[in-house]
Amino acid sequence: MINYIKPSFSIFGLEIYWYAICILIGVILAVLAGVREGKKIGIPSDYIYTGVVIVLPCAILGARLWWDIFNADKIHSFVDVFAIWDGGLAIQGGVLAALLTIYIYCRVRKFSFYRILDVVAPGFLIGQICGRWGNFCNHELYGPAIKNVQLFKNLLPSFITENMYIGGEYYHPTFLYESLLNLVGLVLMLVARRKFKRLESGDLIGGYLAWYGVVRIPIELLRSNSGANEILMAGPVPMSILISIIFIVCGITLLVVKRFVGPRVNYSELMKTIKENRYDTILFDLDGTLLNTRELINRSFVHTFEHFRPDKVLTDEELDSFFGPSLRQTFSRFSEDEQEIEEMVKYYREYNVTVHDEIVTAFPGAKSLIKTLARKGYKVGVVSSKKTDLVEHGLELFGMLENVRVVIGEEDVKKPKPDPEGILMAMEMLHSKKALYVGDGVGDIEAGKNAGIDTVGVLYSNRKEQILAAEPTYTIQNLNDMLTILVE
């Protein structure tokens, strides 16, 4: 008796298709492999995860619409156009849709298209290796009938041979041929990106297109002799063969032309550069960087000057200049009396603490960024010109303190920013090998430079021009942009 592998099974009354499971396994393995390689060539995992959420539905839609184009006679309603539960996905349409979506995604996120494709190309092969076993479970896309049945049974395990017994005959398991050939292609690709020193970013997708085309043509010729009438046709020519030829031409053309046009990045050198420039520590300023305290600071200064200098009307330029320096540095500009300066500092702080919680807000993405950095293994610290207890209170208020390992405040250092003492102290406490300091003021950027580390200037404060003039290593429009800078 022949025991077929059923295309589906039920769990609590819900019908589960093996084809869907095979595709899902392929997607998961491709994503895991992509994230792992992405770390080595400077692609944050968040980019990959977000990209998968966007690209996968578009690829499935593309695969379905590609099938619809060549099976218009089977479409009788709008629902039929998207009825993938009844079968009908064409991998080539999925690949084309995925490539287009990835290109748009890279343009929007302003990231290297070639570099993204360096992790996508192996993922395509992984997905196809797994997906073809879904065809096996569905008893579809097989080749012609087997002539030497005994040899066929001797060479392959029974679960394959018996599942290829269809309508009274054994058929060539073309799913297995294509899956194994793609596995060979995957191994070659993985070896090439580690051993082939002349490999350039973008070469892998060219290699994938050429390999896919070369593999698909003979497989498609076998399928065309199965008698199952499952081949998508473009007139007298099987569409898959036509597209495969186009893939081969495009792949080879890309490998050649890209060496004369566009950016050239050696893959080995890219990995080396990323490894050498990997940050392990991220240090932040607090006010104006993680927390929006401008209104609080302005009110506190106005309140203090109304008490000590009632005739003094603070201009916007003066208020802006108070943002960054320590309180002692600021009040020393208006008094030479040490006792009065101490009283001004005390008066300012008392009012500041009183209204702090009702005025201060966290900048969008601050909490999630700190949590993400800690989860990914970065050492996170805060170096501020405020008193340590106030810094810790602000961080705790917005749920960030638990993920911050070190807090350096005003009383912890002898010299305030732009002196690098606070930054160097934090780096020593965290045993940092390579740190990055993020701030919103010129003093922050100068302190980072004086510490000999790279800096990030935030451009969402109203001191954009000053930040740009200070020439930080990087600039960001929002805190989520930090993930484009960091390499996990």
Side-chain angles (χ1 to χ4, degrees), residues 361-376:
T361 60
F363 281 111
K367 180 180 178 179
S368 61
L369 174 64
I370 297 298
K371 184 177 181 179
T372 297
L373 293 177
R375 176 173 57 82
K376 293 181 181 298

Side-chain angles (χ1 to χ4, degrees), residues 155-423:
L155 290 176
L156 296 176
S158 60
F159 82 93
I160 292 180
T161 59
E162 297 310 312
N163 207 55
M164 287 293 99
Y165 186 78
I166 303 168
E169 291 189 272
Y170 291 93
Y171 288 86
H172 276 277
T174 52
F175 85 92
L176 179 63
Y177 306 156
E178 186 172 347
S179 183
L180 291 176
L181 287 171
N182 281 331
L183 178 60
V184 172
L186 176 63
V187 171
L188 292 175
M189 193 175 287
L190 298 180
V191 171
R193 69 185 186 186
R194 290 292 179 270
K195 302 297 183 180
F196 185 48
K197 300 302 181 182
R198 297 178 64 182
L199 184 74
E200 295 184 3
S201 184
D203 283 352
L204 293 182
I205 194 63
Y208 163 77
L209 292 172
W211 182 269
Y212 175 84
V214 169
V215 168
R216 188 64 186 267
I217 290 174
I219 297 298
E220 205 66 15
L221 290 173
L222 280 173
R223 287 174 183 156
S224 65
N225 293 318
S226 67
N229 193 29
E230 296 177 318
I231 305 299
L232 303 182
M233 302 297 291
V237 181
M239 193 62 198
S240 294
I241 291 180
L242 180 60
I243 295 298
S244 295
I245 293 173
I246 294 174
F247 275 12
I248 293 171
V249 173
C250 288
I252 295 174
T253 301
L254 176 63
L255 290 171
V256 175
V257 173
K258 71 183 291 293
R259 280 166 168 71
F260 300 95
V261 180
R264 297 184 62 181
V265 179
N266 181 274
Y267 202 88
S268 297
E269 291 298 322
L270 174 62
M271 287 195 299
K272 181 180 178 181
T273 300
I274 294 297
K275 184 177 181 179
E276 291 175 349
N277 289 279
R278 191 183 303 274
Y279 299 104
D280 64 353
T281 303
I282 314 299
L283 303 175
F284 292 90
D285 175 46
L286 184 71
D287 293 342
T289 302
L290 295 175
L291 301 185
N292 187 356
T293 56
R294 177 163 292 278
E295 184 180 355
L296 172 67
I297 291 174
N298 286 346
R299 283 197 198 183
S300 299
F301 276 116
V302 169
H303 180 76
T304 302
F305 274 86
E306 285 177 348
H307 179 78
F308 289 93
R309 298 289 188 274
D311 296 330
K312 173 66 177 175
V313 178
L314 294 172
T315 66
D316 290 340
E317 289 75 14
E318 286 176 318
L319 285 171
D320 186 61
S321 70
F322 298 163
F323 208 89
S326 66
L327 293 176
R328 173 168 289 279
Q329 286 175 311
T330 297
F331 290 129
S332 294
R333 291 163 51 187
F334 299 89
S335 177
E336 296 181 355
D337 186 334
E338 287 296 323
Q339 183 175 350
E340 184 183 39
I341 292 173
E342 288 295 332
E343 291 175 356
M344 294 174 80
V345 170
K346 181 180 179 182
Y347 192 84
Y348 173 99
R349 284 178 173 155
E350 288 177 351
Y351 176 80
N352 186 281
V353 169
T354 301
V355 299
H356 180 280
D357 293 1
E358 64 185 72
I359 296 177
V360 174
T361 60
F363 281 111
K367 180 180 178 179
S368 61
L369 174 64
I370 297 298
K371 184 177 181 179
T372 297
L373 293 177
R375 176 173 57 82
K376 293 181 181 298
Y378 290 102
K379 305 169 186 176
V380 180
V382 173
V383 179
S384 172
S385 297
K386 294 176 70 171
K387 286 181 64 67
T388 302
D389 59 343
L390 294 179
V391 175
E392 292 178 343
H393 175 72
L395 292 171
E396 186 173 23
L397 181 65
F398 295 100
M400 290 182 268
L401 184 60
E402 62 181 334
N403 291 310
V404 175
R405 297 193 191 184
V406 169
V407 173
I408 303 295
E410 178 192 38
E411 72 274 26
D412 297 318
V413 298
K414 296 179 180 179
K415 299 178 181 179
K417 294 179 288 188
D419 191 274
E421 182 183 358
I423 293 176

Side-chain angles (χ1 to χ4, degrees), residues 9 32 63 130 148 310 314 331 344 350 481:
F9 58 95
L32 293 176
C130 296
N148 191 334
L314 294 172
F331 290 129
M344 294 174 80
E350 288 177 351
D481 288 343

